[in-house]
Amino acid sequence: MNREILFKAKKINNGMWVEGGHYECAETTYCCKEDYERNPVPIHHYIAVEKMTDWGLPNELTLQEVKPDTICQYTGLKDKNGKKVFENDIIKNIFGKAYAPVRFGKYQNCFDSTSADHVGFYVDWNEKYDFRKDLGYWIDMVDAEVVGNVFDNPELLEG
């Protein structure tokens, strides 16, 4: 089974979202460590986007420079409406009153012992909710849906 490795991020020039492969590139290369220390090299982040040209002609691959703090990885899951679920998306649970961002990293479910760490995509529920955190449960079993993301809709996480 092939996994779809996909990212999305906001373009630097206009803030529009683009999806594709992530590419990171240093502006230049030095030979010596001391040169890097004296002159730090800017790192640029790009999303590679396939662009259709014309009927029957090869498509182009374009690099869109993006804001590195907005890069989000695809979880491999789609919500009940068929929308791809990315890191930093905000999901709403079935009760309609709780919103939380999707994160990647170590997490612990509410019913785990203190020594059980999981690693992967999870739902970062507010501490006042005693909900389980595994993303697959919310998407596959409970039909939670993506209602925005932390960059465009931060107000959903307030309160």
Side-chain angles (χ1 to χ4, degrees):
M1 179 174 117
N2 285 336
R3 289 186 304 140
E4 186 175 10
I5 312 262
L6 185 65
F7 295 85
K8 74 174 184 178
K10 287 185 158 219
K11 291 171 53 173
I12 282 187
N13 62 352
N14 63 11
M16 298 294 292
W17 286 99
V18 290
E19 287 184 17
H22 175 240
Y23 175 68
E24 182 179 298
C25 180
E27 212 168 84
T28 191
T29 304
Y30 295 123
C31 293
C32 305
K33 178 183 172 190
E34 294 79 22
D35 290 338
Y36 282 104
E37 290 169 354
R38 279 194 300 270
N39 301 308
V41 176
I43 304 294
H44 297 275
H45 294 266
Y46 300 93
I47 296 291
V49 179
E50 185 179 13
K51 178 182 172 188
M52 188 183 90
T53 54
D54 200 357
W55 188 264
L57 295 177
N59 288 349
E60 289 181 9
L61 188 64
T62 64
L63 294 178
Q64 307 289 321
E65 189 166 8
V66 296
K67 300 174 185 178
D69 60 329
T70 66
I71 298 170
C72 307
Q73 187 172 359
Y74 177 46
T75 64
L77 300 171
K78 293 181 181 178
D79 74 2
K80 68 180 186 176
N81 301 315
K83 185 172 184 177
K84 291 177 183 171
V85 181
F86 284 86
E87 179 181 16
N88 294 312
D89 277 347
I90 297 172
I91 66 166
K92 177 176 77 168
N93 71 10
I94 58 168
F95 313 115
K97 295 181 181 173
Y99 298 85
V102 173
R103 303 282 189 215
F104 180 85
K106 278 187 173 183
Y107 68 96
Q108 194 169 7
N109 269 317
C110 60
F111 47 82
D112 286 339
S113 68
T114 56
S115 64
D117 279 333
H118 303 280
V119 177
F121 292 103
Y122 66 98
V123 184
D124 194 12
W125 297 109
N126 187 312
E127 302 85 43
K128 70 181 178 180
Y129 300 112
D130 196 21
F131 295 152
R132 62 191 293 173
K133 292 189 172 190
D134 43 324
L135 178 63
Y137 168 78
W138 290 100
I139 298 300
D140 293 336
M141 304 295 289
V142 185
D143 287 336
E145 65 181 315
V146 174
V147 293
N149 63 67
V150 300
F151 307 106
D152 297 334
N153 314 100
E155 70 281 358
L156 293 175
L157 299 175
E158 295 171 3

